[in-house]
Amino acid sequence: LSSLPEAFSYSPLSLPGSHHHTIARRDLFDARFQLLLRPTMTHDGRTIITPSGAEQHHHSAAAAAAAAADNSSSTDSDLVPGIYEGGLKTWECALDLAAYLDRDGKKRRGGRVLRFLGCGTAVPTLLFLDHLFAFLASDSLLPSGGGNGEDDDDVPLLHTEIHLQDYNRSVLELVTFPNILLAWYMSPLSAEYRSSTTIDLDLDLDPDSSNSDPDSAVDDGRRRRGPGAITVSEALLSAFTASLEAYRVHLRFFAGSWSTSLHQLLFLPPPPPLAESFESSTPRPYDIVLASETIYRSETLDAFIGLLRAATTMTRNVPGPPSLCLVAAKVLYFGVGGGVEGFVRAVEAEGGVVRTVWEHREGVGRRIMRIEW
């Protein structure tokens, strides 16, 4: 919360082939502007961006992120191995994955544990939250501490955990979390807060939209959004955190590589009061594991696949359906060595099965693969 600026701008992002489904996303230029406002320091004769209180590694990462934002059309700044892994941009495969989930109906509601590896701008998670928040706002649900349970049609709320990981902490601060906040702000769950504000211009329909489809303007009580800005006030943050607590939605953010230390961190038991709802203190298995544009470097495949396997095989001793594990990627990443063929071989070498569930063959090929063990 402390990393948020006083205000930030956003624009609508339409998912390809998803029946006009639109989500709000923080503008890249606005994230870059926030970087430029942070304190600076000199390193090796160059001025780099310095997040307050961050370690030296994060200084370099923020500098690389700023360069990428400043030269977003240049492929030279998309990736600085070991420093910045491209998380500020929304890549094609993230859009593919979100659109696939939207079309395929994998919009799980409450009581789930979702993990998004290499989240970046978190577009697939934003889609998940868009549907989740609309579902939670329905009258049939009982918020935490609310309702008397006398209505047989009432549905008790279950905890929903969403874990988001990116290599760079600056990416989580600049785009991931602001986008999560936007998803809530644009949802029916924020209606009470928005009605209490004197001016609410952020939810106006896009005046330039030429789409005459009436269903494109209203989707389960959510209106399509044009570009706008959101003021990050104490009242907004209080309403946001109170809403998540009331509806038992818990967010966790992790920064780092696919290392053993990160692997262990991901499976820590949930903190109180969430731990009180589980039968034991053991980590809760992941119901959904998503990853997008994460196999572009062949030297990191072993660690990444180990993380996927651990996340999805935890459910073997837990009743219920197996984990849904989806990896979206380009068939070949020119210049960096990774691609689908090497990933499939590495998964199969570890006893896994890879099944292509969606494919784009024009130009640079892209796939969505389901991984099972």
Side-chain angles (χ1 to χ4, degrees):
L1 294 177
S2 61
S3 67
L4 290 169
E6 294 182 357
F8 61 87
S9 66
Y10 60 85
S11 297
L13 175 67
S14 296
L15 301 181
S18 61
H19 306 291
H20 312 294
H21 199 120
T22 303
I23 57 179
R25 176 188 57 172
R26 186 183 187 182
D27 292 322
L28 177 59
F29 72 83
D30 191 83
R32 174 179 176 268
F33 183 70
Q34 183 182 347
L35 272 174
L36 295 176
L37 290 179
R38 288 180 170 181
T40 61
M41 66 175 292
T42 300
H43 178 64
D44 294 337
R46 296 180 300 169
T47 299
I48 62 175
I49 306 301
T50 308
S52 178
E55 297 177 356
Q56 182 63 42
H57 174 78
H58 296 296
H59 296 172
S60 300
D70 193 34
N71 301 282
S72 58
S73 62
S74 171
T75 56
D76 292 340
S77 61
D78 287 341
L79 175 66
V80 183
I83 300 295
Y84 169 68
E85 299 292 339
L88 287 178
K89 295 177 63 174
T90 298
W91 298 88
E92 298 94 334
C93 290
L95 299 176
D96 295 338
L97 184 55
Y100 171 79
L101 292 169
D102 198 34
R103 292 190 303 268
D104 201 48
K106 299 295 190 302
K107 298 165 291 209
R108 311 298 178 95
R109 294 181 172 179
R112 300 288 180 176
V113 182
L114 180 144
R115 181 78 190 104
F116 190 10
L117 300 169
C119 60
T121 58
V123 170
T125 303
L126 302 182
L127 171 77
F128 178 89
L129 288 173
D130 197 32
H131 291 283
L132 175 65
F133 290 156
F135 173 71
L136 293 177
S138 63
D139 294 336
S140 62
L141 289 175
L142 293 173
S144 178
N148 54 25
E150 295 177 357
D151 190 341
D152 293 337
D153 293 331
D154 285 337
V155 179
L157 278 177
L158 300 174
H159 286 299
T160 300
E161 289 188 68
I162 298 176
H163 298 178
L164 298 115
Q165 179 273 339
D166 194 272
Y167 186 83
N168 297 110
R169 187 174 70 187
S170 56
V171 168
L172 296 173
E173 294 174 346
L174 291 167
V175 291
T176 308
F177 183 61
N179 286 345
I180 298 295
L181 179 62
L182 275 173
W184 173 84
Y185 182 71
M186 296 295 186
S187 78
L189 290 188
S190 70
E192 182 177 353
Y193 166 77
R194 286 187 279 109
S195 66
S196 68
T197 59
T198 56
I199 299 178
D200 184 17
L201 301 178
D202 299 320
L203 297 184
D204 287 347
L205 295 176
D206 186 353
D208 297 326
S209 176
S210 59
N211 195 327
S212 59
D213 182 359
D215 292 332
S216 68
V218 180
D219 179 13
D220 297 332
R222 294 155 289 168
R223 289 181 286 174
R224 294 189 67 198
R225 284 80 62 173
I230 180 173
T231 300
V232 183
S233 64
E234 289 295 331
L236 171 67
L237 296 181
S238 295
F240 170 70
T241 55
S243 178
L244 294 190
E245 181 178 357
Y247 287 97
R248 297 184 170 187
V249 178
H250 184 244
L251 305 173
R252 301 183 78 178
F253 299 87
F254 303 90
S257 64
W258 323 124
S259 62
T260 300
S261 59
L262 175 62
H263 179 191
Q264 295 172 343
L265 178 62
L266 293 176
F267 300 106
L268 288 174
L274 288 176
E276 298 174 1
S277 67
F278 301 137
E279 295 180 358
S280 69
S281 60
T282 58
R284 188 180 179 187
Y286 289 106
D287 298 294
I288 307 173
V289 178
L290 304 175
S292 173
E293 308 275 18
T294 51
I295 63 171
Y296 53 86
R297 292 171 57 193
S298 56
E299 62 267 27
T300 65
L301 281 181
D302 288 344
F304 175 64
I305 291 171
L307 189 54
L308 285 182
R309 184 173 187 175
T312 54
T313 57
M314 288 175 63
T315 60
R316 290 298 174 87
N317 297 322
V318 178
S323 298
L324 173 67
C325 178
L326 298 174
V327 176
K330 293 182 177 68
V331 172
L332 180 63
Y333 289 90
F334 297 98
V336 286
V340 167
E341 184 178 349
F343 174 69
V344 172
R345 286 200 306 265
V347 170
E348 292 176 344
E350 294 296 322
V353 177
V354 180
R355 180 166 56 92
T356 299
V357 297
W358 180 88
E359 186 172 7
H360 174 84
R361 296 184 178 181
E362 297 179 2
V364 178
R366 306 191 303 273
R367 295 184 190 177
I368 298 176
M369 299 163 285
R370 179 163 185 171
I371 318 301
E372 298 176 326
W373 303 92

